[in-house]
C-alpha cells in the first residue's frame, strides 16, 4: 500500500510539471517562458543562418536543411557587424587586430572596431575564444595615435605599430535593437544550452552580420 501511494504521488508531481509548462506556453502565445539571460562560460550553444521572415513577435531563421523559430526578449542583446574603414577609429573605441606580430608591430589582416571594452566582452563568446598564449591570439587594446601611423596600446601597456594596406579587412561592431533586423540578414544566435531548445526559443544574444568579408 505504501508503494502505491509513493507511485501515485510521483505521477501527480510529473503531471503538475507538464501542466505548468503548458500553461506558461499558453500565456506566452504558445512560445517558451522567457529564461534568465545570464549564461556562464561553457553554457553557450550557437545557431547560425539567415533571417527568412518576421511574423509579429516570431522570427524564422533559415538553416541549410531546417528552420528555427525564435523570439526576442526585452533582455536579449543585439549587435551588428558591418563593413568599416580606418575612418571609424578614434580614441574612444576598443580594437581587436588580427595578424602576425612581433614585439613592436602587427601586420593587420583584419581590424575589428568595438564601441567599448564592455561591448567587446558582450559580443565575444568565451567558449570559442582563441587562447591568449596562441600565436593566433588577436591584439587587443585602445587607439593611442592616428596621425601618420596607427599606434595601439595593448592591454599589457605596450605600444604597437599597426600596419594596414588595401587588403586589410575592417569590421565595425555596433549595438542595435531587434527593430533593426531585416529579412535576409545573416544571424548568429547564442542560446543558453542548459535549457532545452524545445522550451527555450529566446536567445541570450543575436549578432547580425552584414559585413562582406570575414577573416
Amino acid at each position: 500500500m505504501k508503494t502505491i501511494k509513493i507511485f501515485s504521488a510521483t505521477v501527480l508531481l510529473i503531471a503538475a510539471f507538464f501542466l505548468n509548462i503548458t500553461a506558461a506556453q499558453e500565456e506566452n502565445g504558445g512560445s517558451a517562458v522567457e529564461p534568465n539571460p545570464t549564461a556562464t562560460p561553457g553554457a553557450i550553444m550557437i545557431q547560425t543562418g539567415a533571417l527568412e521572415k518576421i511574423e509579429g513577435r516570431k522570427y524564422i531563421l533559415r538553416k541549410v536543411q531546417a528552420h528555427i523559430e525564435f523570439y526576442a526578449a526585452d533582455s536579449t542583446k543585439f549587435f551588428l557587424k558591418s563593413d568599416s574603414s580606418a575612418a571609424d577609429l578614434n580614441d574612444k573605441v576598443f580594437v581587436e587586430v588580427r595578424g602576425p606580430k612581433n614585439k613592436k608591430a602587427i601586420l593587420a589582416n583584419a581590424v575589428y572596431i568595438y564601441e567599448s571594452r564592455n561591448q567587446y566582452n558582450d559580443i565575444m563568446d568565451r567558449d570559442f575564444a582563441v587562447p591568449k598564449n596562441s600565436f593566433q591570439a588577436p591584439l587587443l587594446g585602445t587607439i593611442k595615435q592616428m596621425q601618420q601611423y596607427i599606434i595601439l596600446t595593448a592591454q599589457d601597456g605596450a605600444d604597437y605599430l599597426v600596419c594596414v594596406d588595401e587588403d586589410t579587412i575592417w569590421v565595425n561592431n555596433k549595438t542595435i535593437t531587434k527593430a533593426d533586423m531585416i529579412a535576409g540578414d545573416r544571424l548568429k544566435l547564442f542560446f543558453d544550452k542548459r535549457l532545452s531548445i524545445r522550451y527555450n526559443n529566446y536567445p541570450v544574444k543575436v549578432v547580425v552580420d552584414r559585413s562582406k568579408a570575414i577573416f
Side-chain angles (χ1 to χ4, degrees):
M1 182 65 69
K2 184 179 293 185
T3 302
I4 293 175
K5 289 182 178 178
I6 294 175
F7 175 77
S8 299
T10 302
V11 171
L12 289 173
L13 286 173
I14 293 174
F17 172 76
F18 282 104
L19 284 173
N20 286 335
I21 290 177
T22 303
Q25 289 181 324
E26 289 176 352
E27 290 176 2
N28 287 272
S31 62
V33 179
E34 180 181 334
N36 186 332
T38 304
T40 57
I44 292 297
M45 176 168 57
I46 296 177
Q47 296 283 351
T48 59
L51 182 60
E52 186 172 88
K53 56 184 175 180
I54 303 173
E55 298 178 344
R57 294 174 52 247
K58 182 171 66 177
Y59 302 85
I60 309 296
L61 182 74
R62 186 181 73 249
K63 297 175 64 65
V64 177
Q65 295 179 338
H67 291 78
I68 293 178
E69 296 180 357
F70 70 96
Y71 295 82
D74 292 338
S75 56
T76 303
K77 296 180 179 180
F78 291 85
F79 303 100
L80 171 66
K81 290 180 177 289
S82 59
D83 292 329
S84 181
S85 69
D88 290 322
L89 292 177
N90 59 63
D91 58 3
K92 296 180 181 179
V93 300
F94 186 80
V95 178
E96 172 189 0
V97 184
R98 301 183 186 181
K101 60 179 178 293
N102 56 31
K103 292 183 178 180
K104 295 184 178 180
I106 181 169
L107 176 59
N109 292 326
V111 179
Y112 291 82
I113 303 172
Y114 298 86
E115 295 170 350
S116 65
R117 175 59 195 260
N118 287 338
Q119 188 202 47
Y120 169 81
N121 290 336
D122 285 340
I123 294 177
M124 284 297 295
D125 180 63
R126 295 171 180 79
D127 290 353
F128 301 92
V130 178
K132 291 183 179 180
N133 57 354
S134 169
F135 72 93
Q136 297 178 343
L139 184 65
L140 305 174
T142 56
I143 299 299
K144 179 180 180 180
Q145 174 184 320
M146 290 173 290
Q147 291 77 23
Q148 189 175 4
Y149 302 106
I150 300 174
I151 303 297
L152 175 72
T153 300
Q155 291 179 291
D156 61 2
D159 289 343
Y160 286 81
L161 171 66
V162 181
C163 304
V164 301
D165 56 26
E166 64 276 7
D167 294 323
T168 300
I169 295 171
W170 296 84
V171 178
N172 193 34
N173 293 273
K174 183 180 178 182
T175 301
I176 60 172
T177 68
K178 61 184 178 183
D180 295 309
M181 292 193 300
I182 57 176
D185 279 338
R186 298 194 309 273
L187 302 184
K188 181 179 289 187
L189 308 180
F190 293 77
F191 291 93
D192 186 343
K193 67 183 181 183
R194 295 171 300 180
L195 304 175
S196 168
I197 273 291
R198 183 176 179 182
Y199 295 114
N200 171 27
N201 48 9
Y202 287 90
V204 176
K205 61 183 173 184
V206 178
V207 176
V208 180
D209 190 352
R210 294 180 188 162
S211 59
K212 296 177 181 177
I214 297 298
F215 175 76

